[in-house]
Amino acid sequence: MDVYEFKKTYLTRLLETSNVLNGGGANIPASAIRSEWTNFMEVAVEPTGWQALWKASRPVCEQLSVKFPLVVLGTVDQVLFDELKATFLIEAILDDDVHLPEEKITVDLEELWPLREQNNPALNVNITADCIDKLRFFYQHLWMPWDTDTEDGHSWVAKHLETRIRFSYDLKNKTMSRQLSSHALALLAEARYIQRKRELLELEISENDQDDEEDDVDNETSLLEDNRAGELLQLNLRLNTIKNEISILENPVMRSVFEKLRFGNEKGKESTRMAYIVTRAGTIDEQLQYLANAKAMMDQKMMVKMCDSLQHALDHCSPDSVVYLPPGTRQDIKFLEYLNNDGSFRGVSEALFAEDFEAASKTNPTIASKDDDSVLLTIDGDFTLENIKLDCSNVRTGVVIKKGNVTFRNCCFTGDPSSSTKQGIVIFGNCSITFDRCLIKEFSTGIYSNHDCTISLIDTTISHCMTGLEMLDQCRVLFCSTKVLNCTQYGVLLEDFNDAEVSKSEEQSSGSSQVYEDFNTIEREEFTFEGDCEFRGNEKGNFVIRKGCTDRFNSSCFVDEDDRSVLEPADAEVCQQEETSACNATNVSFSADFLETTNLSSTKRVSAMNGANNRRNHSAESNDERSASDTGVSSSLTQTDDDDESAGEDETVDIQEVEQMKAKALITKVKEANESELHTDESTEEDSDQVIEIEDTIIEID
């Protein structure tokens, strides 16, 4: 199943956006930008009847209380041009465990990805997809959430368009330092998240106000009693702070000044490995005792520096440094670089989270995020964390591990029990992870692991998550005296994409999933059990092995049967995802192909029909001579969009990268099944009646 995806130069983007917002030569203020896009979309976009994927945003998933990311297949019933939205008929959902309350939902146009293969080939979906791509790029990279609140005394295009394009270009091509670009990308992601959440809150508050007016309730009293009003105020204050920083970063001259003030001088490159001891306020005896305890944990020959906070240590330490944290303290950080090179964070305490959570939470140090960041910590090399509580309630993903040998020893990961989208630990391929006496609780997914990973869970407890551990096949997990308890869905979920077939009895009893309550009955090479393991209280099953290739997605046309391209393996996909440009980071791609300019016209298809089974296979395709300009689309639509520049690394890691890899693996297996089915029915199709469709004439050949 392929979706349209475009690769364009920034000059092309600039020309396309200028053509849309030209306003007949008049100055277009910020308040009129949306109406210009409405007029453009109304002329060029098909109003109804085309199939697409809906990739729901994180705030929408939170509102619906479903896991993020959410990918849904459906048909556009009607495009609401005035609102730049569409009513979307849901046909199938990528995740079997997600059930939406309604079959028809209103979604943003920019969240829709039209399919290449449509039920009605007469539709100009290629032009529709290109127009939505322009809209998506504008609202995701050029339009800022605070633009709607600005004064209209100037032209938005003249003041912001070229500056914003250049800023996005600089982020993509690494013209800024890694630290500064990471900070800018994190701010932009947070701003768009706040804007989407703010819109949903304002909509809920306005609906409640209408109900209160009908009930003659005092508006001021109800507003003060409503916690959402306080949350909305907090979002607006944070958004205003982000606006000021982004305005500075858009100016190339001010960036270096901002970087020095924000991050300080460049970190020194010490020739020897350093230890940083974070201090706390206390009496002289308490300080001496703390230093004595830290001394017992470190190499006596190591050079030592003193810091007043973890943030101060991170601003000055090298990747291989060891940082010691005082017990009972909370360290709020804003750290956007990667942890690696055999460095470590160590709490100078010994209380065990697995034995007494409350006491250990008070005794051991806590690391949390200063702001609502995407990720608390990102690790791409060998690293160790010991005797530390990681408070992930303020971030969307706790720890992202890209590669390396990582050890968590006596660590606690806590999320938000009210959120359906927060992930604890996300593990990419080629990693070896050890959890020793750890506690993971209150996440949507406690641990998510890709292919080719080795995970050791030793005396570790995972509890009160939606899914405790979710993994793909070919991942090795050692359960040694491990507990997975009280998950609202699955204790351990294995997504199986191999060719092993499920027996007919199992298919009839459990569909595409195999549920095991007793781990001793599991015979899978991915799992190894030692010691006294315990799996209980998980509502939908302690162990579930779900086949990645399900009948549901076969029948829902999630795969283009005519596409025989071979997808890249998961390892290569990880590398490719990491090198994706900042401008394409939000794209949902189920195909490596890009739209060519020769395809930007309506098409007629010549089909062959199987008379016995009423099945169609495309046998020819002819191009309509109508040009893109006939539909009201600007001439820049047919411009070549090759972009050969190197892609910058997107530092704001999101779980959707991993979910895309899982979807591609699923698609590959469905294709193989469909190829086998087509090969079996080949002889039958040769003897069937044929129908050749030429324009509006049908000729039947016996």
Side-chain angles (χ1 to χ4, degrees), residues 448-479:
Y448 182 93
S449 176
N450 194 23
H451 300 283
D452 301 325
C453 297
T454 301
I455 303 174
S456 298
L457 298 170
I458 304 171
D459 294 320
T460 294
T461 300
I462 304 175
S463 67
H464 296 90
C465 298
M466 291 180 65
T467 299
L469 169 62
E470 183 174 353
M471 52 183 285
L472 305 187
D473 55 6
Q474 302 177 14
C475 173
R476 302 292 187 269
V477 181
L478 167 64
F479 297 94

mmCIF file of all heavy atoms in Angstrom, residues 448-479:
data_model
loop_
_atom_site.group_PDB
_atom_site.id
_atom_site.type_symbol
_atom_site.label_atom_id
_atom_site.label_comp_id
_atom_site.label_asym_id
_atom_site.label_seq_id
_atom_site.Cartn_x
_atom_site.Cartn_y
_atom_site.Cartn_z
ATOM 1 N N TYR A 448 9.558 -0.849 24.320
ATOM 2 C CA TYR A 448 9.329 -1.217 22.926
ATOM 3 C C TYR A 448 10.671 -1.528 22.291
ATOM 4 O O TYR A 448 11.607 -0.728 22.364
ATOM 5 C CB TYR A 448 8.643 -0.097 22.143
ATOM 6 C CG TYR A 448 8.359 -0.501 20.708
ATOM 7 C CD1 TYR A 448 7.138 -1.051 20.361
ATOM 8 C CD2 TYR A 448 9.333 -0.387 19.725
ATOM 9 C CE1 TYR A 448 6.884 -1.461 19.068
ATOM 10 C CE2 TYR A 448 9.091 -0.798 18.430
ATOM 11 C CZ TYR A 448 7.863 -1.329 18.108
ATOM 12 O OH TYR A 448 7.624 -1.748 16.828
ATOM 13 N N SER A 449 10.778 -2.694 21.647
ATOM 14 C CA SER A 449 12.050 -3.113 21.071
ATOM 15 C C SER A 449 11.880 -3.489 19.614
ATOM 16 O O SER A 449 10.909 -4.155 19.233
ATOM 17 C CB SER A 449 12.622 -4.306 21.845
ATOM 18 O OG SER A 449 13.800 -4.774 21.235
ATOM 19 N N ASN A 450 12.839 -3.093 18.799
ATOM 20 C CA ASN A 450 12.867 -3.433 17.386
ATOM 21 C C ASN A 450 13.564 -4.786 17.200
ATOM 22 O O ASN A 450 13.919 -5.469 18.160
ATOM 23 C CB ASN A 450 13.591 -2.318 16.622
ATOM 24 C CG ASN A 450 13.372 -2.424 15.131
ATOM 25 O OD1 ASN A 450 12.398 -3.009 14.676
ATOM 26 N ND2 ASN A 450 14.275 -1.867 14.361
ATOM 27 N N HIS A 451 13.774 -5.183 15.937
ATOM 28 C CA HIS A 451 14.491 -6.419 15.634
ATOM 29 C C HIS A 451 15.928 -6.360 16.152
ATOM 30 O O HIS A 451 16.480 -5.294 16.406
ATOM 31 C CB HIS A 451 14.537 -6.648 14.112
ATOM 32 C CG HIS A 451 13.197 -6.776 13.471
ATOM 33 N ND1 HIS A 451 12.429 -7.912 13.550
ATOM 34 C CD2 HIS A 451 12.482 -5.896 12.735
ATOM 35 C CE1 HIS A 451 11.308 -7.732 12.881
ATOM 36 N NE2 HIS A 451 11.314 -6.524 12.377
ATOM 37 N N ASP A 452 16.541 -7.535 16.266
ATOM 38 C CA ASP A 452 17.982 -7.671 16.507
ATOM 39 C C ASP A 452 18.440 -6.954 17.772
ATOM 40 O O ASP A 452 19.473 -6.279 17.780
ATOM 41 C CB ASP A 452 18.781 -7.156 15.300
ATOM 42 C CG ASP A 452 18.423 -7.904 14.027
ATOM 43 O OD1 ASP A 452 18.156 -9.112 14.120
ATOM 44 O OD2 ASP A 452 18.390 -7.275 12.955
ATOM 45 N N CYS A 453 17.677 -7.078 18.825
ATOM 46 C CA CYS A 453 18.062 -6.522 20.122
ATOM 47 C C CYS A 453 18.157 -7.651 21.140
ATOM 48 O O CYS A 453 17.478 -8.670 21.026
ATOM 49 C CB CYS A 453 17.049 -5.486 20.605
ATOM 50 S SG CYS A 453 16.899 -4.045 19.548
ATOM 51 N N THR A 454 18.986 -7.442 22.140
ATOM 52 C CA THR A 454 19.102 -8.382 23.244
ATOM 53 C C THR A 454 18.750 -7.649 24.529
ATOM 54 O O THR A 454 19.392 -6.652 24.877
ATOM 55 C CB THR A 454 20.525 -8.953 23.339
ATOM 56 O OG1 THR A 454 20.846 -9.617 22.111
ATOM 57 C CG2 THR A 454 20.620 -9.948 24.481
ATOM 58 N N ILE A 455 17.722 -8.132 25.216
ATOM 59 C CA ILE A 455 17.242 -7.483 26.436
ATOM 60 C C ILE A 455 17.319 -8.487 27.576
ATOM 61 O O ILE A 455 16.834 -9.614 27.460
ATOM 62 C CB ILE A 455 15.793 -6.986 26.267
ATOM 63 C CG1 ILE A 455 15.691 -6.025 25.080
ATOM 64 C CG2 ILE A 455 15.306 -6.303 27.534
ATOM 65 C CD1 ILE A 455 14.271 -5.605 24.766
ATOM 66 N N SER A 456 17.916 -8.068 28.677
ATOM 67 C CA SER A 456 17.994 -8.898 29.881
ATOM 68 C C SER A 456 17.219 -8.208 30.993
ATOM 69 O O SER A 456 17.560 -7.087 31.387
ATOM 70 C CB SER A 456 19.456 -9.106 30.300
ATOM 71 O OG SER A 456 20.184 -9.782 29.288
ATOM 72 N N LEU A 457 16.174 -8.869 31.471
ATOM 73 C CA LEU A 457 15.361 -8.355 32.576
ATOM 74 C C LEU A 457 15.670 -9.194 33.808
ATOM 75 O O LEU A 457 15.223 -10.341 33.923
ATOM 76 C CB LEU A 457 13.876 -8.421 32.224
ATOM 77 C CG LEU A 457 13.429 -7.580 31.020
ATOM 78 C CD1 LEU A 457 11.998 -7.916 30.627
ATOM 79 C CD2 LEU A 457 13.548 -6.098 31.322
ATOM 80 N N ILE A 458 16.450 -8.637 34.721
ATOM 81 C CA ILE A 458 16.926 -9.367 35.895
ATOM 82 C C ILE A 458 16.309 -8.741 37.144
ATOM 83 O O ILE A 458 16.535 -7.557 37.429
ATOM 84 C CB ILE A 458 18.468 -9.321 35.977
ATOM 85 C CG1 ILE A 458 19.086 -9.873 34.681
ATOM 86 C CG2 ILE A 458 18.966 -10.092 37.189
ATOM 87 C CD1 ILE A 458 20.582 -9.673 34.593
ATOM 88 N N ASP A 459 15.508 -9.520 37.869
ATOM 89 C CA ASP A 459 14.842 -9.021 39.086
ATOM 90 C C ASP A 459 14.135 -7.694 38.821
ATOM 91 O O ASP A 459 14.193 -6.764 39.634
ATOM 92 C CB ASP A 459 15.858 -8.856 40.222
ATOM 93 C CG ASP A 459 16.427 -10.192 40.674
ATOM 94 O OD1 ASP A 459 15.654 -11.157 40.758
ATOM 95 O OD2 ASP A 459 17.644 -10.271 40.925
ATOM 96 N N THR A 460 13.490 -7.600 37.675
ATOM 97 C CA THR A 460 12.854 -6.354 37.232
ATOM 98 C C THR A 460 11.343 -6.524 37.210
ATOM 99 O O THR A 460 10.828 -7.602 36.888
ATOM 100 C CB THR A 460 13.379 -5.961 35.837
ATOM 101 O OG1 THR A 460 14.768 -5.634 35.940
ATOM 102 C CG2 THR A 460 12.632 -4.770 35.276
ATOM 103 N N THR A 461 10.633 -5.441 37.546
ATOM 104 C CA THR A 461 9.170 -5.453 37.578
ATOM 105 C C THR A 461 8.621 -4.421 36.603
ATOM 106 O O THR A 461 9.056 -3.264 36.598
ATOM 107 C CB THR A 461 8.652 -5.144 38.991
ATOM 108 O OG1 THR A 461 9.148 -6.131 39.902
ATOM 109 C CG2 THR A 461 7.130 -5.151 39.020
ATOM 110 N N ILE A 462 7.668 -4.851 35.769
ATOM 111 C CA ILE A 462 6.931 -3.955 34.874
ATOM 112 C C ILE A 462 5.466 -4.034 35.281
ATOM 113 O O ILE A 462 4.877 -5.119 35.286
ATOM 114 C CB ILE A 462 7.098 -4.364 33.400
ATOM 115 C CG1 ILE A 462 8.579 -4.423 33.013
ATOM 116 C CG2 ILE A 462 6.357 -3.400 32.489
ATOM 117 C CD1 ILE A 462 8.826 -4.941 31.611
ATOM 118 N N SER A 463 4.869 -2.897 35.628
ATOM 119 C CA SER A 463 3.502 -2.950 36.150
ATOM 120 C C SER A 463 2.701 -1.728 35.724
ATOM 121 O O SER A 463 3.256 -0.672 35.412
ATOM 122 C CB SER A 463 3.517 -3.041 37.683
ATOM 123 O OG SER A 463 4.020 -1.845 38.248
ATOM 124 N N HIS A 464 1.367 -1.917 35.697
ATOM 125 C CA HIS A 464 0.392 -0.847 35.471
ATOM 126 C C HIS A 464 0.663 -0.070 34.178
ATOM 127 O O HIS A 464 0.561 1.157 34.134
ATOM 128 C CB HIS A 464 0.359 0.107 36.667
ATOM 129 C CG HIS A 464 -0.105 -0.550 37.933
ATOM 130 N ND1 HIS A 464 0.780 -1.155 38.814
ATOM 131 C CD2 HIS A 464 -1.346 -0.713 38.462
ATOM 132 C CE1 HIS A 464 0.103 -1.656 39.838
ATOM 133 N NE2 HIS A 464 -1.191 -1.413 39.647
ATOM 134 N N CYS A 465 1.024 -0.791 33.123
ATOM 135 C CA CYS A 465 1.147 -0.207 31.786
ATOM 136 C C CYS A 465 -0.017 -0.720 30.931
ATOM 137 O O CYS A 465 -0.744 -1.630 31.333
ATOM 138 C CB CYS A 465 2.475 -0.596 31.139
ATOM 139 S SG CYS A 465 3.955 -0.012 32.018
ATOM 140 N N MET A 466 -0.196 -0.136 29.750
ATOM 141 C CA MET A 466 -1.142 -0.720 28.807
ATOM 142 C C MET A 466 -0.557 -2.015 28.248
ATOM 143 O O MET A 466 -1.212 -3.052 28.242
ATOM 144 C CB MET A 466 -1.457 0.272 27.688
ATOM 145 C CG MET A 466 -2.257 1.478 28.139
ATOM 146 S SD MET A 466 -2.614 2.645 26.799
ATOM 147 C CE MET A 466 -3.677 1.662 25.750
ATOM 148 N N THR A 467 0.684 -1.948 27.771
ATOM 149 C CA THR A 467 1.438 -3.130 27.351
ATOM 150 C C THR A 467 2.799 -3.063 28.023
ATOM 151 O O THR A 467 3.512 -2.062 27.889
ATOM 152 C CB THR A 467 1.610 -3.181 25.826
ATOM 153 O OG1 THR A 467 0.319 -3.249 25.206
ATOM 154 C CG2 THR A 467 2.415 -4.404 25.413
ATOM 155 N N GLY A 468 3.160 -4.112 28.741
ATOM 156 C CA GLY A 468 4.416 -4.083 29.479
ATOM 157 C C GLY A 468 5.629 -4.076 28.572
ATOM 158 O O GLY A 468 6.471 -3.181 28.637
ATOM 159 N N LEU A 469 5.728 -5.082 27.699
ATOM 160 C CA LEU A 469 6.852 -5.207 26.771
ATOM 161 C C LEU A 469 6.303 -5.539 25.399
ATOM 162 O O LEU A 469 5.599 -6.537 25.228
ATOM 163 C CB LEU A 469 7.812 -6.310 27.237
ATOM 164 C CG LEU A 469 8.897 -6.755 26.250
ATOM 165 C CD1 LEU A 469 9.840 -5.610 25.918
ATOM 166 C CD2 LEU A 469 9.682 -7.944 26.804
ATOM 167 N N GLU A 470 6.596 -4.696 24.415
ATOM 168 C CA GLU A 470 6.206 -4.950 23.028
ATOM 169 C C GLU A 470 7.471 -5.095 22.205
ATOM 170 O O GLU A 470 8.358 -4.241 22.259
ATOM 171 C CB GLU A 470 5.342 -3.816 22.480
ATOM 172 C CG GLU A 470 4.853 -4.068 21.057
ATOM 173 C CD GLU A 470 3.878 -3.015 20.567
ATOM 174 O OE1 GLU A 470 3.478 -2.166 21.386
ATOM 175 O OE2 GLU A 470 3.529 -3.049 19.373
ATOM 176 N N MET A 471 7.547 -6.159 21.432
ATOM 177 C CA MET A 471 8.777 -6.464 20.709
ATOM 178 C C MET A 471 8.452 -7.069 19.356
ATOM 179 O O MET A 471 7.376 -7.631 19.141
ATOM 180 C CB MET A 471 9.637 -7.439 21.522
ATOM 181 C CG MET A 471 8.878 -8.683 21.965
ATOM 182 S SD MET A 471 9.814 -9.813 22.994
ATOM 183 C CE MET A 471 10.875 -10.561 21.768
ATOM 184 N N LEU A 472 9.390 -6.932 18.433
ATOM 185 C CA LEU A 472 9.289 -7.581 17.141
ATOM 186 C C LEU A 472 10.067 -8.888 17.176
ATOM 187 O O LEU A 472 10.931 -9.095 18.031
ATOM 188 C CB LEU A 472 9.830 -6.669 16.040
ATOM 189 C CG LEU A 472 9.212 -5.275 15.940
ATOM 190 C CD1 LEU A 472 9.729 -4.563 14.702
ATOM 191 C CD2 LEU A 472 7.695 -5.322 15.928
ATOM 192 N N ASP A 473 9.749 -9.786 16.240
ATOM 193 C CA ASP A 473 10.458 -11.060 16.223
ATOM 194 C C ASP A 473 11.947 -10.835 15.953
ATOM 195 O O ASP A 473 12.372 -9.779 15.510
ATOM 196 C CB ASP A 473 9.854 -12.008 15.183
ATOM 197 C CG ASP A 473 9.811 -11.393 13.795
ATOM 198 O OD1 ASP A 473 10.353 -10.295 13.615
ATOM 199 O OD2 ASP A 473 9.222 -12.008 12.894
ATOM 200 N N GLN A 474 12.745 -11.849 16.242
ATOM 201 C CA GLN A 474 14.203 -11.807 16.145
ATOM 202 C C GLN A 474 14.823 -10.918 17.212
ATOM 203 O O GLN A 474 15.979 -10.515 17.104
ATOM 204 C CB GLN A 474 14.656 -11.349 14.751
ATOM 205 C CG GLN A 474 14.149 -12.230 13.628
ATOM 206 C CD GLN A 474 14.539 -11.716 12.262
ATOM 207 O OE1 GLN A 474 15.406 -10.853 12.148
ATOM 208 N NE2 GLN A 474 13.899 -12.236 11.229
ATOM 209 N N CYS A 475 14.061 -10.600 18.231
ATOM 210 C CA CYS A 475 14.595 -9.904 19.400
ATOM 211 C C CYS A 475 14.700 -10.923 20.531
ATOM 212 O O CYS A 475 13.774 -11.708 20.754
ATOM 213 C CB CYS A 475 13.686 -8.743 19.791
ATOM 214 S SG CYS A 475 14.125 -7.930 21.337
ATOM 215 N N ARG A 476 15.807 -10.940 21.244
ATOM 216 C CA ARG A 476 16.033 -11.919 22.300
ATOM 217 C C ARG A 476 15.801 -11.272 23.665
ATOM 218 O O ARG A 476 16.355 -10.202 23.945
ATOM 219 C CB ARG A 476 17.459 -12.466 22.235
ATOM 220 C CG ARG A 476 17.810 -13.129 20.909
ATOM 221 C CD ARG A 476 17.023 -14.423 20.718
ATOM 222 N NE ARG A 476 17.465 -15.147 19.532
ATOM 223 C CZ ARG A 476 16.939 -14.999 18.334
ATOM 224 N NH1 ARG A 476 15.955 -14.130 18.165
ATOM 225 N NH2 ARG A 476 17.372 -15.701 17.305
ATOM 226 N N VAL A 477 14.986 -11.931 24.495
ATOM 227 C CA VAL A 477 14.676 -11.398 25.817
ATOM 228 C C VAL A 477 14.924 -12.481 26.859
ATOM 229 O O VAL A 477 14.427 -13.604 26.733
ATOM 230 C CB VAL A 477 13.216 -10.914 25.909
ATOM 231 C CG1 VAL A 477 12.939 -10.340 27.292
ATOM 232 C CG2 VAL A 477 12.931 -9.860 24.847
ATOM 233 N N LEU A 478 15.691 -12.132 27.881
ATOM 234 C CA LEU A 478 15.927 -13.014 29.019
ATOM 235 C C LEU A 478 15.101 -12.521 30.195
ATOM 236 O O LEU A 478 15.252 -11.378 30.636
ATOM 237 C CB LEU A 478 17.414 -13.026 29.388
ATOM 238 C CG LEU A 478 17.767 -13.659 30.744
ATOM 239 C CD1 LEU A 478 17.426 -15.151 30.749
ATOM 240 C CD2 LEU A 478 19.234 -13.437 31.087
ATOM 241 N N PHE A 479 14.196 -13.375 30.683
ATOM 242 C CA PHE A 479 13.420 -13.078 31.883
ATOM 243 C C PHE A 479 14.043 -13.847 33.045
ATOM 244 O O PHE A 479 13.952 -15.079 33.099
ATOM 245 C CB PHE A 479 11.962 -13.496 31.708
ATOM 246 C CG PHE A 479 11.232 -12.756 30.623
ATOM 247 C CD1 PHE A 479 11.157 -13.277 29.335
ATOM 248 C CD2 PHE A 479 10.624 -11.543 30.877
ATOM 249 C CE1 PHE A 479 10.486 -12.612 28.334
ATOM 250 C CE2 PHE A 479 9.944 -10.860 29.882
ATOM 251 C CZ PHE A 479 9.875 -11.389 28.603
#
